[in-house]
Amino acid sequence: MFKELSILAVVVAFSLLTYWLVEPFAHSQMHAHIETKHFKYTDLPAITKTGNAVAGKELVMGAGACTGCHSIETAGMPAMMPAVDAAASYGVNPPDLSTAGALYDANFLVAMIKNPAHATNLDHKYPADGSKMHPMVAFYGAGGDMDQEVADMVAYLQSIAPKAEEVTPKVAFENACGRCHSMRYKNWTPIGEKGKFKYKKDELRFDASVLDYQDYVVKYMGKLPPDLSMYYRSRGEHFLETFIEDPQSHLKGTAMPRVGVTAESAEKVVEYLRDAADPKHAEREETGKNVMIYMIFFVLFAFLWKKEIWKKLH
Amino acid sequence: MAHFTKATSVKDWLNQRLAIEKVEKVMASEYWIPKNINFLWAMGMVLAITFGLLLVSGIFLLMYYQPNVETAFDSVNYTIMQEVGYGWLWRHVHAVAASVVFLIIYIHMLTGIYYGSYKKGREMIWISGMLLFVAFSAEAFSGYMLPWGQMSYWAGMVITNLFSAGSLELNGVVEWIRGDYVPGQAFLTRFFMLHVLLVPLAILALIGVHFAALRIPHVNNQDGEDIDFDVEAKKYLAGDTKGSKVIRFANDFMSKDMFVVSIFLVFFFYLVFWNYGFAMDPVNFDPADGLKTPAHIYPEWYFLWSYEILRPFSKDVGLIAFAFAQVIFVLLPFLDRSPNVKTANKRGLFGIWFWLLVIDMIVLTAMGKLPPQGIYSTIGFVAAIGFIGLWVILPFITAIEKKV
Ligand code: HEM
C-alpha cells in the first residue's frame, strides 16, 4: 500500500510539473500580462462642472448637433437614415444615444464630445495636423462656457438613460459594440438583429445590406471587425476586459476605438459574450456535480469489490 | 462434422456452437496474471476504457458534425455545443479523453521501460504498443483538423509541409497529401475519413494484436521474476490462492483494475467539467483563416517533445532528428543489450538513463510550447541533442551492464 502510494506520488509529481510548464508557465511567457485599471480612464480630465439636463437637452438637439447624426429613440428622435446609408456617410452607423448616459463613463463622454479621436485613443489614426478627421465632429462650443455646455449635454444623456442596473447585457453589447461587430450565434449583424424571413428574397436583401454595410466599415477601419460569437472562449475573460478598456494595450495601433464603457457596462458586455460562446456553463456545473457524486459511489463500490475479492489472495 | 445434441439450456446451446466456457477460461478466469504488480499495470485497462469513451463520444459527435469548410466550425461550436442536448458534454468528453489518453500512454510506456517489460519474449507487445502510439498520434492529429479553427488550419499546414522533406522540396507530395495547394475542402474531407474510419479501424486491429501479444509471455511483474505460470496456476486451482504467485484475470485482477479505473474516472470527469482548457486550445476557437497566421503555432502538448526535436536545428537536420525521434522508441528492445529484466533503479547506469530520459522529455515538452527565443531555444537545443545522445549511448551502457 505504501509502495503504491509512493509510486503514485512520483507519477502525479511529474504530471503536474509537465502541466504547469505547458499551461500556466508557457502562457505567462507567451502573452504580456496587462492589468486592468478598473475602467477609471485616469488619462482623461475629470468633469468639473455640474451639468444642467434641461440646458443639455437644448444643446444635444440644437447647437451640439448630436441628433444630426445620432438617433435618440427614447427621446423620440428616430434615425435620420438607414444604417447602411449612415455608414456610407460616416464609415459606421453612429450609435443610438438612448443608453449612452448609462453605458459610458461621464469623463469619457466629456472627452468624446470635445475630441473623439483622443477620447477613443485613436490619435495615431487622426494626426494633429488635421489631415484625417474623425467622422464625429468635435464640439467647439455654443458660445458660452464650453465646459459647462459639455457637462450639460452629459447630464442630459444621463437623465434620459435607464439606470445602469437596468441595462441588459444584450443592450450593452448592441449599443457599445454592435455597430461594428456581428455576433452570429445571437443573430446579431451590425445593422441589427437578423429576424426570420418569410421570403428568401427578403433574406437575401437583408444579407446584401449587411455586406454593403461591412464594406463601408472596412473602408473606415481598414479591416472587418471580427464576429465576436466565440471570443469568450478564444480570448478569455481577462483579455476581453482589458481589451475593451483599452484595445491599444493588446493591439498597438489597432483601429478599434476605446469605447469608454463603465466597469459595470463592461461586465455586462463580457457576460453577453460569455452567453454567446458558452451558454451551457451553468448546466455544466450542475451536471458536473451530479456526475461527481455518482463517481464517488463508483469508487466506493469498486473498492469494496476489490477488497472482497482480494481477501482470498493475500 | 461436429456432433450436436439437444441443448439443455441456452448456455449449453451456445457452448456447443461457440465454446463460450472455453473462451471465458482462456480470456478471463484462467488467463493468469502475476500477483506482484502495482496499479501501473492497470494503465492498459485505463487506456482501453478511455478508448471506449472516445469511441462512444465520437459516435455522438458524428451525428451532428459537418465535414465542410463553411460549416464545420459552427457545426461544432454552435450546433453541438449549444443546440444539441448534452452535445457540449460529448464534446468535452471527447476532447479531454483525446488529451488524457496520451498522458496515460506515456505513463504506460514509461512503466514498460522502467520494469523492462519489452524484452525476453515481450518484444511484440512493445512493438505493437508503439504502433498503437503512432496510430493514436494520427488519430489525434486528424481529429484536430475537424473543428476547422485557426490551430486546425495552421497545424495542418505546418505538419503536412514536413512531407516536402526539407531541401528535397517534394512539394508534389505535400499537394498530394492535401489534395490542394493549401488546406481546403479536399483536405478536411480526407482527414475526416481518416479520423472516423481508417485510423480507428487500424487502432482496433492493433489493440487486438497488442492483447494477443500479451498471451504467451504474460505480463511482467514488479521484480521481473520469471514465473512458471503452469505450476503457479495449478497451485491456485488446487486452492492455495494465498501461496500462488498468480491470480485470475477476472475477477481477481479485474477488481483491482476497476478500482484504479474508478479513481481515474474521478480525475477524468474533474477535467471534463472544470479544467478542460489544456485539451481545447483557445486559439482553435477562432475560425480558420488562411490569411492570418496566429502569433504562436504549437501542437497539442503530447506532440511538443518531438516538435522541439524538429525546431532548434536547421531545416534538414531538424527533419532527420524528428524522424529519428519518431522511430527510435520502436527499436528499444534491440537497443537495450542487457538481458536483465529488472526495475531500472536496480540496473545501474540504465537507471540514470531512464530518469534522464524522463526529465529530458519534460524539458523538450516545455520548450516546444515556449516561443523559440533566447534562453528557451538554447535549452531546447541542448535537450534535443541530449535526447539523441541518450539513445546513441543506450546500447553501450546496457552492453556493459552486470547481470543481476
Ligand atoms: C491505447 C492503446 C493501448 C492500449 C489499449 C493498451 C493496452 C494494454 C493492456 C490492457 C495491457 C496489459 C495490462 C498492463 O500491463 O497494463 C498492456 C500491456 C503492455 N503495453 Fe499496452 N496498450 C496501449 C498502448 C501501448 C503503447 C503505446 C505501448 C508502448 C510502446 C504499450 C506497451 C505495452 C507493454 C510493454 C505492455 C506489457 C506490460 C507488462 O508486461 O508489464 N502499450 N497494454
Side-chain angles (χ1 to χ4, degrees):
Chain A
M1 191 61 195
F2 174 73
K3 193 164 174 197
E4 301 237 357
L5 285 178
S6 9
I7 296 171
L8 182 63
V10 172
V11 172
V12 169
F14 277 111
S15 306
L16 281 180
L17 172 66
T18 311
Y19 173 79
W20 180 79
L21 285 168
V22 297
E23 282 295 311
F25 179 69
H27 286 287
S28 77
Q29 296 298 300
M30 281 190 287
H31 313 290
H33 183 73
I34 286 153
E35 279 298 341
T36 160
K37 299 185 190 72
H38 309 289
F39 297 84
K40 290 281 187 272
Y41 307 110
T42 46
D43 60 313
L44 300 173
I47 201 164
T48 50
K49 300 275 158 72
T50 315
N52 175 335
V54 179
K57 179 169 184 179
E58 297 271 304
L59 287 162
V60 166
M61 308 281 184
C66 314
T67 48
C69 301
H70 293 276
S71 62
I72 311 183
E73 301 272 0
T74 48
M77 304 289 294
M80 313 260 282
M81 47 183 153
V84 182
D85 297 349
S89 312
Y90 307 116
V92 63
N93 187 20
D96 184 88
L97 296 182
S98 307
T99 53
L103 281 180
Y104 303 108
D105 179 80
N107 295 336
F108 174 85
L109 280 174
V110 169
M112 181 76 194
I113 293 169
K114 287 183 171 169
N115 184 348
H118 182 71
T120 52
N121 257 350
L122 293 175
D123 285 326
H124 58 281
K125 198 175 155 193
Y126 303 105
D129 63 13
S131 53
K132 205 171 162 218
M133 298 290 280
H134 194 280
M136 168 159 156
V137 284
F139 175 69
Y140 293 109
D145 174 0
M146 183 165 146
D147 285 335
Q148 184 62 50
E149 287 165 357
V150 174
D152 290 347
M153 287 195 274
V154 171
Y156 170 67
L157 290 176
Q158 288 175 334
S159 74
I160 56 165
K163 285 201 197 64
E165 60 270 21
E166 283 164 16
V167 179
T168 61
K170 179 170 171 5
V171 167
F173 170 82
E174 289 173 2
N175 287 352
C177 325
R179 66 180 177 279
C180 295
H181 292 283
S182 44
M183 184 126 103
R184 63 189 185 287
Y185 292 179
K186 290 286 188 186
N187 286 327
W188 179 259
T189 79
I191 63 170
E193 200 155 323
K194 180 172 175 179
K196 295 254 177 288
F197 292 92
K198 195 161 165 209
Y199 300 106
K200 184 80 187 164
K201 227 167 33 177
D202 294 334
E203 183 176 0
L204 290 174
R205 270 197 202 103
F206 182 89
D207 290 346
S209 298
V210 173
L211 292 175
D212 282 338
Y213 183 94
Q214 288 178 334
D215 283 347
Y216 293 122
V217 174
V218 170
K219 218 180 282 160
Y220 171 44
M221 302 251 97
K223 77 202 285 190
L224 186 67
D227 183 297
L228 294 183
S229 299
M230 285 306 289
Y231 270 73
Y232 185 86
R233 295 254 350 218
S234 69
R235 297 297 189 282
E237 202 158 307
H238 183 75
F239 175 95
L240 289 173
E241 260 168 27
T242 48
F243 188 74
I244 293 171
E245 184 171 33
D246 181 12
Q248 305 298 329
S249 65
H250 287 276
L251 293 177
K252 192 106 203 83
T254 181
M256 169 159 153
R258 164 167 82 174
V259 289
V261 284
T262 62
E264 199 174 346
S265 310
E267 226 170 79
K268 287 187 177 147
V269 169
V270 172
E271 187 182 331
Y272 198 61
L273 289 168
R274 178 180 195 183
D275 205 35
D278 189 15
K280 301 292 176 140
H281 57 90
E283 192 181 64
R284 197 165 58 231
E285 286 286 323
E286 211 30 54
T287 312
K289 271 187 218 128
N290 293 335
V291 169
M292 275 303 168
I293 292 170
Y294 177 84
M295 287 316 305
I296 302 290
F297 278 104
F298 183 17
V299 172
L300 210 70
F301 282 115
F303 178 69
L304 292 175
W305 187 41
K306 195 243 152 188
K307 248 184 91 158
E308 179 60 30
I309 297 235
W310 280 64
K311 249 194 286 185
K312 66 171 193 293
L313 302 176
H314 276 315
Chain B
M1 211 195 105
H3 185 65
F4 291 93
T5 56
K6 186 164 167 45
T8 55
S9 64
V10 177
K11 190 172 171 201
D12 180 44
W13 191 87
L14 284 172
N15 226 352
Q16 291 190 38
R17 287 157 181 82
L18 294 174
I20 55 170
E21 258 171 9
K22 179 102 194 285
V23 170
E24 194 273 334
K25 266 190 189 160
V26 171
M27 308 278 277
S29 61
E30 292 183 18
Y31 173 20
W32 301 102
I33 308 286
K35 192 184 284 173
N36 179 25
I37 55 180
N38 58 48
F39 77 91
L40 290 171
W41 272 264
M43 291 304 128
M45 183 61 85
V46 171
L47 281 171
I49 297 272
T50 313
F51 179 65
L53 283 167
L54 283 165
L55 206 62
V56 173
S57 55
I59 288 171
F60 279 98
L61 294 178
L62 197 47
M63 291 189 227
Y64 289 96
Y65 173 75
Q66 299 173 19
N68 179 303
V69 290
E70 298 293 332
T71 54
F73 185 86
D74 287 346
S75 76
V76 174
N77 288 305
Y78 189 70
T79 310
I80 291 174
M81 291 292 280
Q82 309 199 8
E83 290 193 298
V84 177
Y86 290 102
W88 58 269
L89 179 58
W90 295 118
R91 183 175 185 212
H92 276 214
V93 165
H94 201 71
V96 171
S99 203
V100 166
V101 87
F102 280 92
L103 173 66
I104 308 296
I105 285 180
Y106 285 131
I107 295 173
H108 188 64
M109 277 173 73
L110 290 170
T111 304
I113 302 180
Y114 184 80
Y115 291 102
S117 311
Y118 49 84
K119 44 189 169 177
K120 281 239 189 104
R122 297 197 179 89
E123 291 86 352
M124 276 317 292
I125 310 178
W126 180 261
I127 290 168
S128 60
M130 274 318 292
L131 291 177
L132 270 170
F133 178 76
V134 172
F136 265 87
S137 300
E139 183 68 0
F141 177 73
S142 57
Y144 202 53
M145 298 299 107
L146 302 188
W148 210 238
Q150 270 292 65
M151 275 296 189
S152 306
Y153 185 92
W154 289 98
M157 183 80 101
V158 171
I159 300 300
T160 47
N161 247 338
L162 296 180
F163 290 90
S164 67
S167 298
L168 295 181
E169 305 220 3
L170 306 176
N171 297 325
V173 176
V174 178
E175 280 158 30
W176 180 74
I177 292 170
R178 292 180 183 160
D180 200 341
Y181 297 108
V182 289
Q185 184 59 55
F187 179 92
L188 179 60
T189 331
R190 68 187 51 185
F191 277 95
F192 175 64
M193 176 284 290
L194 288 173
H195 188 71
V196 305
L197 182 70
L198 195 56
V199 182
L201 276 182
I203 288 177
L204 284 170
L206 285 167
I207 290 180
V209 175
H210 195 58
F211 285 6
L214 280 158
R215 280 306 307 211
I216 296 169
H218 288 89
V219 295
N220 194 7
N221 54 74
Q222 288 197 83
D223 300 317
E225 184 185 347
D226 206 351
I227 295 171
D228 187 333
F229 281 85
D230 293 332
V231 173
E232 296 298 328
K234 277 208 190 76
K235 222 194 248 175
Y236 184 103
L237 289 173
D240 184 13
T241 50
K242 286 198 181 1
S244 171
K245 286 180 179 168
V246 300
I247 56 178
R248 298 180 194 272
F249 172 72
N251 293 331
D252 299 350
F253 182 54
M254 191 75 143
S255 67
K256 187 169 174 179
D257 264 359
M258 276 303 141
F259 177 56
V260 176
V261 166
S262 72
I263 305 258
F264 164 75
L265 287 178
V266 169
F267 164 69
F268 175 76
F269 282 113
Y270 156 72
L271 296 176
V272 165
F273 291 107
W274 291 285
N275 206 341
Y276 41 79
F278 75 101
M280 307 172 90
D281 198 281
V283 182
N284 222 22
F285 287 107
D286 278 344
D289 181 349
L291 300 174
K292 192 173 152 202
T293 322
H296 306 278
I297 303 180
Y298 45 82
E300 290 288 89
W301 72 268
Y302 38 84
F303 293 142
L304 287 168
W305 68 269
S306 51
Y307 183 60
E308 186 58 19
I309 289 174
L310 173 78
R311 225 169 38 161
F313 301 103
S314 68
K315 198 162 76 176
D316 292 327
V317 180
L319 269 175
I320 294 167
F322 182 68
F324 174 85
Q326 299 309 307
V327 298
I328 200 67
F329 275 94
V330 189
L331 301 180
L332 176 62
F334 313 103
L335 294 175
D336 183 343
R337 314 296 309 155
S338 156
N340 291 331
V341 178
K342 276 278 172 297
T343 56
N345 281 3
K346 297 209 177 89
R347 290 180 54 193
L349 284 177
F350 183 81
I352 299 171
W353 183 90
F354 174 83
W355 291 109
L356 282 179
L357 182 74
V358 173
I359 291 164
D360 190 65
M361 287 179 73
I362 291 177
V363 171
L364 283 168
T365 300
M367 297 308 133
K369 185 137 179 189
L370 290 164
Q373 296 149 354
I375 185 76
Y376 299 142
S377 65
T378 314
I379 297 175
F381 180 74
V382 172
I385 297 281
F387 181 86
I388 296 165
L390 280 172
W391 285 96
V392 170
I393 58 167
L394 179 64
F396 302 103
I397 61 168
T398 46
I400 58 170
E401 189 174 313
K402 280 204 259 326
K403 178 100 190 83
V404 284

